[in-house]
Each structure stands twice: as C-alpha cells, then as structure tokens.
Amino acid sequence: MQNTTLDNSFVNRLKQILESRYGKGLQIRQLMDLSVLENDKEAFTRGRDLHVPIRVNGAFLGTAVVPSADDLNDEKRQGVTQLIRMVLEPAMYKWYLEQKESNLAEITKANLNLDNV
C-alpha cells in the first residue's frame, strides 16, 4: 500500500532545526483557502504567524506555518523561509508526483469510459 501522507522524517527534522536555531515550531497545511495567498510573495505574515507557501512548477502544494514568528527580524525570517523551502519543496513535490501516479494507476485499473467526460 502506498503512503498517502508526506514523509514525516523530513518534517520532523525540519521542526528540530527550526526549534534549535530559531526557537520556533512548524505546522504543515496542505489544504487552505487560496484566496489569502499573495502570488508574488515568498512568505507573508498573518497575525503573528509566518506563512510560507510551497509551490513547485506552478502547483500549490501547501503552506508551512511558523507560529508566533512576529519577533523574528527580516534576516531571520528570510533564513527560516529559505530553510523551509529547501527542505519541503522537494519532499512535497515528490509526494505530489506519487499521488498523481497513484491516481492515474487507479483510473487505469477502473477501465472508466471517459467519452462523456
């Protein structure tokens, strides 16, 4: 059976690094309201939280949220953003491609008649 969630080893290691370097936590949201995203920004603040949208090849894969990041200066925010992107973009894109492949395999197995679609 194929794993249907993002590999937790990447997320757990990233959480450890953020905690040790910046004293911050991390949440991953793979579903969210896309209307709140600012397309041209690498990261944005909502309330006290730093949101880092994860996009690869035009696909929105989710958002990394660093709670209570309002006390980080611009340099540290940039470091957090780059670290999150460096770790999560490849991991989430791999997961995304695996899901697309799995979906295609299921459609193929079902022998659906797609003439009316």
Side-chain angles (χ1 to χ4, degrees), residues 41-109:
K41 298 224 176 181
E42 275 192 10
F44 61 93
T45 304
R46 263 181 97 185
R48 299 183 61 207
D49 302 339
L50 177 65
H51 292 249
V52 181
I54 306 299
R55 293 185 195 92
V56 179
N57 294 336
F60 174 74
L61 305 176
T63 301
V65 179
V66 180
S68 303
D70 58 335
D71 60 341
L72 297 175
N73 63 30
D74 288 340
E75 183 179 328
K76 287 184 179 180
R77 282 179 191 240
Q78 184 66 26
V80 167
T81 300
Q82 288 176 348
L83 179 62
I84 288 171
R85 288 178 158 306
M86 182 177 67
V87 173
L88 289 184
E89 281 181 353
M92 291 181 85
Y93 193 60
K94 178 180 182 279
W95 175 84
Y96 170 75
L97 292 176
E98 288 171 351
Q99 294 305 302
K100 284 184 76 167
E101 183 179 3
S102 175
N103 291 345
L104 183 60
E106 289 299 319
I107 289 172
T108 303
K109 277 195 275 184

